[in-house]
Every structure is written in C-alpha cells, then in structure tokens.
Amino acid sequence: MSIAYRNGALHVEHVALEDIARQHGTPCYVYSSALIRAAYLEYTEALAGRNGLVCYSVKANSNLAVLALLARLGSGFDIVSGGELARVIAAGGDARKVVFSGVGKSEAEIEQVLRARILCLNLESEAELARVSRVASRLGLRAPVAFRVNPDVDPNTHPYISTGLKQNKFGVAHEDAERLYREAAALPGIEVVGIGCHIGSLMGDTGPYVEATERLADLARRLEHAGIRLQHIDVGGGVGIRYRDETQKPIRDFVEGALGALAGRTEQVVFDPGRSLVGNAGVLLTRVEYVKPGDTKNFLVVDAAMNDLQRPALYDAWHDVRPVRAPLAGAAGAATVCDVVGPVCESADFLAKDRALAASEGDLLAVMSAGAYGMSMSSNYNTRPRAAEVMVAGHRIHLVRKRERVEDLYALESVPNEL
Ligand SMILES: *Cc1c(COP(=O)(O)O)cnc(C)c1O
C-alpha cells in the first residue's frame, strides 16, 4: 500500500487521484488510512514488550477520521488546546490517554481537561503550576501533572520548529526542575505523575533525541532520590519524515534509542509523534489553472494556495510536486522549469519553486507529503473556502470533510445598521 503510479496514473492505495478529483473537486487533501496505520504500527512494534503509549500529536492533522483511525488502533493523544480535546472525544478517543501540552493553558481549558480525567497536564511554568493547583482544589480534584523540561539540546532543525533550547518559550529549565517538583509535590490538588520534553520537529537523526531522553532519565533518578516517583516519562515527538532526499532514520531507531536511554527504568514511556504518523500519508491534490510563461521562469498557477498549505511560505519548506498523469516516455524534453504558485495575493504564495514539470492548463498535480501541518494550518485568507478532505481505505473513497462554502466564511459576521 502506498502512493504510487499504476498504469501511468498516480494512486493512493487502490484509488486513482483522478477519480477523487472528479468526485470531490480540487483543491483536495487525500489521506491513506493504510499508511497512517503502518506508521503507527512502526511505533508500537518497536515498543513491543515495553510499557509504552503513543500519544498522537493532534495539531499535525486534527481531522476526526484521522483521530478515529488512530483511536481504534489504541493510540492516545497529545493536545494543545481544549478544542483538540473536544475533537479527540468526538472521534471516540480515550481521555485517559490524553496529555495536554502548551504554554498558555486557560482556566477554562484546565477545568475542561480535569473534568474529562485526562492522563496528564504537561506544565511549562511555575505560574501554571499555581493555577492548576487552584483550579483542581476548587473542583475537589487532583490534577495529574508533569513538567515539560527543557533539556537545552539542539535538534539541528529549522529555528521555527526547534523548541528545546534555552531561548525558546517552551518548558522549564533543566536546573529548575528539581525545585519545581518539590514544590508541586507539596501543593494541594496536584499529583505528580510524570516528566516530559519535546525538543523540536523534523529530526533526521536520533542523536539529539537520545541525548534529551538521557537528560530526562537523569532527572527521574534525581527525583527518585528526593522521594518523588514518576509513573511515566514522555520523550516527546519530532521524528522527521523524508520530504525530498534527506537522510532520515526510521521510526524504529528513535524508539529503540529512547528505550536504550531509559534502560533499567520502569516508568511507562510516552511518545508524542505527529508528523511521522501522518506526513507522508497525505497529498494535496490541485489543478493547473494557468500556464504563465515569464522571462526568467515559468509559472504554473494552480487552484491550491498558501492558505491551503502554508509550509512553503512559512518555513520555506520543500514539497515534491508530481503530475497525477505520468508524463509519457520520451516527453521529458517538454518539461520546463517552473514555480508552482497559488492565486493568493502574496509573493510568498508558492507551493514549489524551480521544478521541471510538463503541465498544461487543466492538468492535476499532487503536492506530496502534505498529511501533516497542511489542513491543520490552513486559513481562509482571500476568502478562500478550505479544501475538501478525503480518506482512502483500500478501494474506498471517504469524504471526511466537505469543502467549505463561501457563505460559511461570513456566517458569523454581522453588519450594524448604523456605521
Ligand atoms: C507539535 C508537538 C509534537 C509533535 O511534533 P512532530 O514534529 O509533529 O512529531 C509533540 N509534542 C509536543 C509537545 C508538540 O508541541
């Protein structure tokens, strides 16, 4: 099961992307349930025999069908808002397998997750500890907490997605952790259950991941000496995927590396992967509106834009772009170097630059590796209704989010009588 050409047509599992475009139009996100399942099983198989839990990071792709698929496989969830918890529950996920991360948890969100009896709140500051203690005491509940510790390890990735350095806003400093744990253990309404970290995204190699895990293990040991016993160690997410030709260690190596760093420890090991579960399981299907030749380069203007897939504009990210109909042998000479751009009125509105493509008006293109941080980061900029989303399962095509209608976009707005 994969995303590949068959008889000259690009398929997701057994379904031709042309058929999806005919049924549901473009732009359209298409996900492979088999590829998501396979990536999840890579984690659980590497964890076999160890007390472990995979908590899928919902923000990577929060479509209910994606969440339901993972929930049925036994996955837990890593959320960063009360809204994401509502999604997890709506999709049939188990609140007792939910960890809540993020630097700005509101009182209302803390109350919501405590009432739902989630597994753990990952705290990121002393002020947050005080607030959680207050809310839990008011509700007569005990809040299960961990600190997200900043191990000050450089994941060697893009500065916007590195989160474990001292200059980042995330986590508490390694050297403050012991003091904060003692303080937490003495507070009403607080039950210390774990420790966590997340050093950043898109790691190709296991070195920084293992190093960060070793620092967590070291802290867990010190806390144990101080009489604080933990139930779990959360080693975070951040395992990369191959977008182009990067060297990328497989998921198994990351899991084994983390387990190695935790050898001899008996706490449950929690992983919170996002991108590595869904990134390469999705494509953004788009149609060429115009071919616009230029003096220095040509442009393919397509019907998807930066509001649909923001990663190129935001991170200068590289996504492969493939023709849905494979070019005929010998037609390679017809390819020209083009930028693939959208209709949005920004120069940053591009999906790909300097690609050799032989596309004409009306042709379909697939923007690859778009399953993570694609739809979930999309917007309605330029009053563009968000794309439809489709989940493929074998031969079946499931529409899992309807294309938005323009009326939906201003349904919450009103015009005062007097202006
Ligand atoms: C975003 C995030 C993740 C997932 O990161 P990926 O790079 O998508 O694996 C995991 N944990 C936390 C706390 C996050 O914020």
Side-chain angles (χ1 to χ4, degrees), residues 28 68 74 96 161 222 245 294 302 304 307 316 321 345 363 389 414:
C28 181
R96 290 166 307 175
I161 49 179
R222 281 174 25 208
D245 49 10
V302 299
N307 74 294
D316 210 14
V321 177
C345 301
D363 285 357
E389 289 177 286
S414 57

Side-chain angles (χ1 to χ4, degrees), residues 90-166:
D94 184 349
R96 290 166 307 175
K97 293 183 188 170
V98 168
V99 297
F100 184 17
S101 308
V103 293
K105 303 176 189 77
S106 71
E107 292 234 6
E109 286 175 319
I110 293 165
E111 182 166 341
Q112 180 192 356
V113 302
L114 290 179
R115 287 190 190 282
R117 303 284 199 273
I118 67 166
L119 179 66
C120 185
L121 289 89
N122 289 338
L123 305 183
E124 307 219 10
S125 66
E126 199 165 358
E128 196 188 2
L129 171 65
R131 183 183 285 189
V132 170
S133 168
R134 197 162 13 88
V135 175
S137 301
R138 173 163 58 75
L139 298 175
L141 296 171
R142 298 244 292 169
V145 305
F147 281 99
R148 172 170 174 177
V149 178
N150 198 330
D152 206 26
V153 170
D154 189 348
N156 297 317
T157 181
H158 189 285
Y160 282 15
I161 49 179
S162 114
T163 56
L165 293 174
K166 282 191 172 158

Side-chain angles (χ1 to χ4, degrees), residues 159-195:
Y160 282 15
I161 49 179
S162 114
T163 56
L165 293 174
K166 282 191 172 158
Q167 65 263 34
N168 297 128
K169 70 174 176 180
F170 299 101
V172 302
H174 191 267
E175 56 271 25
D176 294 337
E178 219 174 311
R179 175 179 63 78
L180 289 169
Y181 270 96
R182 287 175 194 273
E183 192 182 316
L187 276 178
I190 295 288
E191 184 187 7
V192 170
V193 296
I195 190 167

Side-chain angles (χ1 to χ4, degrees), residues 57 59-60 78 80 101-102 122 124 148 170 197-198 200-202 236-239 272-276 373:
S57 177
K59 71 180 189 289
D78 177 20
V80 292
S101 308
N122 289 338
E124 307 219 10
R148 172 170 174 177
F170 299 101
C197 77
H198 173 68
S201 207
L202 260 180
V239 174
D272 8 271
R275 189 189 316 268
S276 52
Y373 305 105

